[in-house]
Amino acid sequence: MKYALSFYIIAILLIPCTVAAHGESASFEATLSSGVLMDIGYSSAPVSGESTIFDFSVLDAGGEEIAFDHIWVRLGRGSAAYFATGIAKADIGKTVLTYRFPQEGAYEMDVRFEKGGRTVAEHTFTFEAEKAETSKSSVPLGMLLSVLAAFFAGGAITYFSLRSR
Protein backbone atom coordinates (compact mmCIF):
# COMPACT_ATOMS: atom_id res chain seq x y z
CA MET A 1 0.00 0.00 0.00
CA LYS A 2 2.72 2.47 0.97
CA TYR A 3 4.63 1.76 -2.25
CA ALA A 4 1.50 2.40 -4.30
CA LEU A 5 1.00 5.72 -2.53
CA SER A 6 4.64 6.66 -3.25
CA PHE A 7 4.18 5.81 -6.92
CA TYR A 8 1.04 7.95 -7.26
CA ILE A 9 2.58 10.94 -5.53
CA ILE A 10 5.66 10.81 -7.75
CA ALA A 11 3.54 10.33 -10.89
CA ILE A 12 1.39 13.36 -10.02
CA LEU A 13 4.46 15.49 -9.42
CA LEU A 14 5.99 14.49 -12.75
CA ILE A 15 2.90 15.19 -14.88
CA PRO A 16 4.09 18.71 -15.78
CA CYS A 17 7.12 17.09 -17.48
CA THR A 18 4.87 15.40 -20.05
CA VAL A 19 3.28 18.44 -21.68
CA ALA A 20 2.78 17.84 -25.39
CA ALA A 21 3.67 20.27 -28.12
CA HIS A 22 0.19 21.82 -28.13
CA GLY A 23 0.56 22.61 -24.40
CA GLU A 24 0.77 26.34 -25.14
CA SER A 25 -1.76 26.09 -28.01
CA ALA A 26 0.81 27.35 -30.49
CA SER A 27 0.79 25.94 -34.00
CA PHE A 28 1.41 26.48 -37.67
CA GLU A 29 -1.78 25.88 -39.63
CA ALA A 30 -2.51 25.75 -43.33
CA THR A 31 -5.87 25.16 -44.98
CA LEU A 32 -5.27 23.66 -48.41
CA SER A 33 -7.50 24.23 -51.45
CA SER A 34 -9.09 20.80 -50.86
CA GLY A 35 -10.27 21.95 -47.42
CA VAL A 36 -7.66 19.82 -45.64
CA LEU A 37 -6.15 21.44 -42.53
CA MET A 38 -2.50 20.76 -41.71
CA ASP A 39 -1.76 21.54 -38.07
CA ILE A 40 1.83 21.54 -36.76
CA GLY A 41 1.88 22.24 -33.03
CA TYR A 42 5.02 23.31 -31.22
CA SER A 43 6.06 23.30 -27.57
CA SER A 44 7.61 26.77 -27.57
CA ALA A 45 8.56 29.39 -30.12
CA PRO A 46 11.63 28.19 -32.04
CA VAL A 47 14.82 29.64 -30.48
CA SER A 48 18.38 29.08 -31.68
CA GLY A 49 20.27 26.53 -29.60
CA GLU A 50 17.11 25.22 -27.89
CA SER A 51 14.96 22.19 -28.65
CA THR A 52 11.43 22.60 -29.94
CA ILE A 53 8.94 19.72 -30.01
CA PHE A 54 6.66 19.64 -33.06
CA ASP A 55 3.54 17.46 -33.33
CA PHE A 56 1.80 16.77 -36.61
CA SER A 57 -1.84 16.27 -37.56
CA VAL A 58 -3.92 16.54 -40.70
CA LEU A 59 -7.71 17.04 -40.62
CA ASP A 60 -10.45 16.94 -43.23
CA ALA A 61 -12.94 19.80 -43.74
CA GLY A 62 -15.16 18.31 -41.00
CA GLY A 63 -12.35 18.32 -38.42
CA GLU A 64 -11.78 14.55 -38.45
CA GLU A 65 -8.21 13.23 -38.56
CA ILE A 66 -7.15 11.92 -41.96
CA ALA A 67 -5.34 8.58 -41.85
CA PHE A 68 -1.66 8.59 -42.82
CA ASP A 69 1.26 6.13 -42.62
CA HIS A 70 4.15 8.51 -42.29
CA ILE A 71 5.29 12.10 -42.65
CA TRP A 72 8.23 13.46 -44.58
CA VAL A 73 9.76 16.59 -43.01
CA ARG A 74 12.54 18.86 -44.30
CA LEU A 75 13.88 21.83 -42.31
CA GLY A 76 16.14 24.31 -44.02
CA ARG A 77 16.74 27.68 -45.63
CA GLY A 78 16.19 28.00 -49.35
CA SER A 79 18.05 25.18 -51.09
CA ALA A 80 20.10 24.32 -47.95
CA ALA A 81 18.56 21.45 -46.00
CA TYR A 82 19.59 21.29 -42.34
CA PHE A 83 17.47 18.23 -41.57
CA ALA A 84 15.27 15.86 -43.57
CA THR A 85 13.60 12.67 -42.37
CA GLY A 86 10.62 10.38 -42.58
CA ILE A 87 8.58 9.87 -39.42
CA ALA A 88 6.29 6.86 -38.96
CA LYS A 89 2.86 7.62 -37.50
CA ALA A 90 2.86 6.98 -33.78
CA ASP A 91 0.69 4.05 -32.64
CA ILE A 92 -0.19 5.88 -29.42
CA GLY A 93 -0.40 9.63 -29.01
CA LYS A 94 0.79 12.29 -31.42
CA THR A 95 3.48 11.91 -34.04
CA VAL A 96 6.31 14.18 -32.90
CA LEU A 97 9.72 15.54 -33.88
CA THR A 98 12.22 17.30 -31.63
CA TYR A 99 14.65 19.70 -33.31
CA ARG A 100 17.32 22.08 -31.99
CA PHE A 101 17.76 25.11 -34.29
CA PRO A 102 21.45 25.85 -34.99
CA GLN A 103 21.00 29.60 -35.45
CA GLU A 104 18.37 32.33 -35.46
CA GLY A 105 16.66 33.48 -38.64
CA ALA A 106 14.11 32.39 -41.23
CA TYR A 107 13.43 28.67 -41.72
CA GLU A 108 11.22 26.61 -43.99
CA MET A 109 9.55 23.39 -42.91
CA ASP A 110 8.33 21.22 -45.79
CA VAL A 111 5.77 18.70 -44.50
CA ARG A 112 4.19 15.91 -46.52
CA PHE A 113 1.68 13.41 -45.09
CA GLU A 114 1.61 10.10 -46.99
CA LYS A 115 -0.59 7.00 -46.97
CA GLY A 116 0.20 3.90 -48.99
CA GLY A 117 2.70 5.70 -51.21
CA ARG A 118 0.38 8.58 -52.10
CA THR A 119 0.49 12.15 -50.82
CA VAL A 120 -2.42 13.03 -48.54
CA ALA A 121 -1.39 16.65 -47.89
CA GLU A 122 1.69 18.77 -48.46
CA HIS A 123 2.68 22.31 -47.47
CA THR A 124 5.72 24.51 -46.77
CA PHE A 125 5.61 26.53 -43.55
CA THR A 126 7.89 29.57 -43.13
CA PHE A 127 8.82 30.84 -39.67
CA GLU A 128 11.55 32.57 -37.64
CA ALA A 129 13.80 31.05 -35.01
CA GLU A 130 14.52 33.74 -32.44
CA LYS A 131 17.92 34.55 -31.02
CA ALA A 132 18.63 32.75 -27.75
CA GLU A 133 18.85 34.75 -24.55
CA THR A 134 22.19 34.17 -22.86
CA SER A 135 20.73 34.09 -19.35
CA LYS A 136 18.04 31.52 -20.16
CA SER A 137 18.40 28.15 -18.42
CA SER A 138 18.48 25.01 -20.55
CA VAL A 139 16.34 23.14 -17.98
CA PRO A 140 12.71 24.28 -17.74
CA LEU A 141 11.95 25.58 -14.24
CA GLY A 142 8.72 23.56 -13.97
CA MET A 143 10.56 20.32 -14.70
CA LEU A 144 13.32 21.12 -12.20
CA LEU A 145 10.80 21.95 -9.46
CA SER A 146 8.80 18.77 -10.20
CA VAL A 147 11.88 16.58 -9.91
CA LEU A 148 12.94 18.27 -6.65
CA ALA A 149 9.42 17.93 -5.22
CA ALA A 150 9.33 14.24 -6.20
CA PHE A 151 12.74 13.70 -4.59
CA PHE A 152 11.67 15.31 -1.30
CA ALA A 153 8.27 13.55 -1.32
CA GLY A 154 10.00 10.20 -1.84
CA GLY A 155 12.42 10.97 0.99
CA ALA A 156 9.61 11.98 3.34
CA ILE A 157 7.58 8.86 2.54
CA THR A 158 10.62 6.65 3.09
CA TYR A 159 11.46 8.39 6.37
CA PHE A 160 7.94 8.06 7.79
CA SER A 161 7.50 4.46 6.60
CA LEU A 162 10.79 3.41 8.25
CA ARG A 163 9.96 5.39 11.41
CA SER A 164 6.61 3.62 11.84
CA ARG A 165 8.27 0.19 12.05
Side-chain angles (χ1 to χ4, degrees):
M1 175 67 182
K2 62 186 169 190
Y3 295 111
L5 180 61
S6 301
F7 171 77
Y8 289 117
I9 289 173
I10 290 170
I12 289 169
L13 292 172
L14 291 178
I15 285 174
C17 299
T18 62
V19 174
H22 268 88
E24 296 179 4
S25 299
S27 65
F28 304 127
E29 294 181 350
T31 303
L32 308 180
S33 59
S34 60
V36 170
L37 173 69
M38 291 180 64
D39 182 21
I40 315 302
Y42 52 91
S43 58
S44 59
V47 175
S48 64
E50 295 184 14
S51 295
T52 301
I53 302 169
F54 295 97
D55 68 47
F56 301 86
S57 60
V58 60
L59 308 170
D60 65 17
E64 298 294 321
E65 185 174 16
I66 297 174
F68 63 92
D69 297 326
H70 64 277
I71 306 165
W72 180 83
V73 178
R74 177 193 169 274
L75 280 159
R77 294 179 175 192
S79 62
Y82 290 134
F83 181 79
T85 190
I87 306 169
K89 183 177 193 311
D91 292 332
I92 299 173
K94 297 216 176 243
T95 303
V96 299
L97 166 72
T98 302
Y99 185 75
R100 182 178 298 254
F101 292 90
Q103 59 193 68
E104 73 271 5
Y107 283 86
E108 296 170 349
M109 179 189 286
D110 299 319
V111 180
R112 182 173 61 231
F113 290 85
E114 297 181 349
K115 170 112 176 132
R118 108 184 141 77
T119 300
V120 174
E122 184 173 17
H123 188 74
T124 299
F125 297 91
T126 304
F127 59 93
E128 293 279 330
E130 300 171 7
K131 185 175 181 177
E133 296 177 17
T134 56
S135 64
K136 195 167 187 179
S137 170
S138 62
V139 178
L141 182 60
M143 183 181 294
L144 181 62
L145 291 175
S146 296
V147 170
L148 286 173
F151 176 76
F152 285 116
I157 291 169
T158 302
Y159 173 77
F160 288 116
S161 65
L162 291 175
R163 188 173 173 213
S164 65
R165 287 185 179 180

